């Protein structure tokens, strides 16, 4: 498949996603010089706007609000992308098997169930575009930030341990009646 | 405007489909669409085929979009063909790099059919 890295969790695995690696020029994160609460608020709004924009434009299905922010213990699909530069961290997107299939089918413009390969490709692109749109929302406070190749994990039997020790921004939205979750774990502060 | 032949370069097959569909939704008359999943494949295609428009992602394995734009300068079939970058990397540095490499336009993902229309149509009216 394309350049999205894939992992299928047949056996129970632990994924340790480190956001501690240095960004461009060996620097760590440089979270904006705003008070932490202000940064959290600003980044949360940017992440929400990014997700809404991506789903409206590329999936063709609006996201609805949800108050349920708590991450699920299990999600059928998790896609992740790394950010490095003025901010370092990991953006992850989680959804159910049903949502993954619907997202892929809508992106492909078909009503048929997309193949597993296309589903992973679609979720990798969602993660990539949400991260890109997030960056575009905060260009006034972040100059340089590169994105990694996305990675997609399918299967439920795993746990994620992001080793970021900075901000955690977590949002949930409703897509076609089901919850989806987007998390941004940032290092430093 | 007569129907055009387009080369879409992106490592995501889903994204290639979306770009194709968006071009048609924007009202562009398409004669033929060619696809490539990286710069190397796109270069090989351009050695054999003449197209009217190239739309390329930047971040791709094997050969990225910026290198593709540079290498296309030496390809006879690509002379005068407008190249538009479609990418999530829409920072100022990337835009400057792409335009100075020879790209004629830049579209940030996510995009709408209207944005495609806005950026692509003028290229054929110049």
């Amino acid at each position: 498949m394309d350049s999205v890295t894939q992992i299928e969790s047949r056996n129970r695995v632990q994924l340790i996603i480190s956001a501690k690696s240095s960004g461009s020029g060996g620097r760590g994160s440089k979270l904006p010089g705003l008070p932490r609460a202000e940064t959290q608020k600003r980044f949360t709004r940017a992440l929400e706007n990014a997700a809404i924009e991506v789903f409206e434009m590329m999936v063709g299905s609006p996201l609805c609000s949800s108050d349920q922010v708590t991450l699920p213990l299990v999600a059928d699909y998790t896609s992740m992308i790394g950010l490095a530069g003025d901010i370092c961290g990991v953006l992850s997107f989680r959804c159910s098997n049903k949502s993954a299939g619907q997202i892929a089918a809508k992106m492909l413009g078909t009503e048929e169930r997309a193949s597993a390969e296309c589903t992973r490709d679609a979720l990798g692109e969602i993660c990539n575009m949400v991260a890109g749109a997030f960056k575009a929302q905060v260009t006034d406070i972040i100059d340089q930030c590169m994105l990694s190749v996305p990675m997609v994990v399918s299967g439920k039997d795993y746990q994620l341990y992001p080793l970021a020790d900075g901000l955690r921004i977590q949002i949930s939205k409703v897509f076609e009646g089901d919850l989806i979750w987007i998390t941004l774990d940032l290092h430093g502060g | 405007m007569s129907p055009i032949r387009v080369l879409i370069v992106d490592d995501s097959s889903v994204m290639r489909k979306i770009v194709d569909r968006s071009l048609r939704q924007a009202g562009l008359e398409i004669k033929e669409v060619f696809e490539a999943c990286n710069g190397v494949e796109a270069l090989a295609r351009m050695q054999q085929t003449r197209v009217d428009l190239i739309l390329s992602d930047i971040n791709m394995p094997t050969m990225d979009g910026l290198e593709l734009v540079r290498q296309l300068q030496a390809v006879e079939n690509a002379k005068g063909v407008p190249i538009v970058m479609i990418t999530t990397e829409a920072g100022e540095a990337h835009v400057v790099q792409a335009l100075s490499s020879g790209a004629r336009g830049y579209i940030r993902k996510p995009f709408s059919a209207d944005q495609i229309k806005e950026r692509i149509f003028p290229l054929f009216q110049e």
Side-chain angles (χ1 to χ4, degrees):
Chain A
M1 86 161 248
D2 307 308
S3 62
V4 177
T5 308
Q6 308 162 53
I7 294 177
E8 210 166 325
S9 62
R10 288 197 183 89
N11 300 311
R12 185 159 191 86
V13 292
Q14 295 186 338
L15 296 175
I16 298 174
I17 308 297
S18 174
K20 289 190 169 180
S21 56
S22 56
S24 57
R27 293 171 297 158
S29 272
K30 185 187 78 183
L31 289 177
L34 301 169
R36 192 179 172 93
E38 180 62 29
T39 305
Q40 179 103 29
K41 196 173 153 192
R42 178 78 203 278
F43 279 11
T44 303
R45 198 168 54 231
L47 194 58
E48 287 201 336
N49 290 341
I52 288 167
E53 186 183 45
V54 168
F55 274 77
E56 266 178 16
M57 288 181 166
M58 307 308 275
V59 185
S61 191
L63 292 179
C64 301
S65 299
S66 159
D67 295 330
Q68 195 177 327
V69 182
T70 313
L71 277 175
L73 288 175
V74 285
D76 297 308
Y77 278 96
T78 303
S79 58
M80 288 167 278
I81 193 162
L83 297 94
D86 286 346
I87 56 168
C88 291
V90 179
L91 187 146
S92 57
F93 171 82
R94 294 167 215 224
C95 67
S96 66
N97 200 25
K98 180 184 158 204
S99 295
Q102 286 175 323
I103 290 167
K106 281 178 176 287
M107 288 175 82
L108 288 165
T110 173
E111 289 186 4
E112 290 166 23
R113 172 90 199 175
S115 67
E117 187 178 326
C118 279
T119 302
R120 290 190 291 261
D121 187 9
L123 297 182
E125 276 303 312
I126 288 285
C127 212
N128 185 28
M129 287 188 289
V130 171
F134 169 79
K135 276 169 53 180
Q137 298 263 338
V138 291
T139 47
D140 56 327
I141 45 177
I142 295 168
D143 288 334
Q144 298 275 331
C145 181
M146 302 293 287
L147 299 178
S148 73
V149 172
M151 177 169 81
V152 179
V153 182
S154 64
K156 291 180 175 181
D157 209 3
Y158 67 90
Q159 283 186 310
L160 271 180
Y161 297 98
L163 297 185
D165 53 2
L167 280 179
R168 164 167 271 207
I169 290 136
Q170 215 163 268
I171 63 167
S172 67
K173 293 279 168 195
V174 177
F175 168 74
E176 301 282 322
D178 287 314
L179 283 169
I180 58 164
W181 296 267
I182 302 172
T183 308
L184 180 62
D185 285 299
L186 294 175
H187 171 56
Chain B
M1 198 172 100
S2 50
I4 61 167
R5 289 151 68 94
V6 186
L7 172 62
I8 301 170
V9 192
D10 199 306
D11 57 324
S12 161
S13 60
V14 172
M15 197 48 66
R16 293 196 298 270
K17 288 259 181 332
I18 291 177
V19 173
D20 183 339
R21 193 171 65 236
S22 300
L23 287 172
R24 294 170 202 274
Q25 283 171 349
L28 214 64
E29 277 194 72
I30 310 283
K31 191 174 174 185
E32 202 167 0
V33 171
F34 302 96
E35 295 186 11
C37 65
N38 58 52
V40 173
E41 271 192 21
L43 272 179
R45 167 60 68 184
M46 288 303 295
Q47 304 285 356
Q48 308 157 3
T49 316
R50 174 93 196 161
V51 299
D52 304 293
L53 173 67
I54 300 171
L55 297 164
S56 177
D57 187 15
I58 289 186
N59 290 336
M60 293 179 290
T62 317
M63 183 193 291
D64 69 26
L66 295 176
E67 184 58 26
L68 169 65
V69 175
R70 279 189 283 270
Q71 295 211 20
L72 281 173
Q73 312 295 319
V75 177
E76 191 56 37
N77 281 341
K79 296 241 157 60
V81 178
I83 307 168
V84 175
M85 312 310 287
I86 302 188
T87 178
T88 50
E89 296 289 2
E92 198 183 328
H94 278 95
V95 176
V96 169
Q97 233 182 325
L99 296 179
S100 60
S101 300
R104 296 274 293 281
Y106 210 96
I107 296 170
R108 183 175 73 81
K109 293 178 193 171
F111 53 82
S112 64
D114 283 345
Q115 285 168 339
I116 294 266
K117 187 175 181 176
E118 216 170 85
R119 304 287 168 86
I120 305 292
F121 275 63
L123 298 173
F124 295 97
Q125 289 161 357
E126 287 169 4

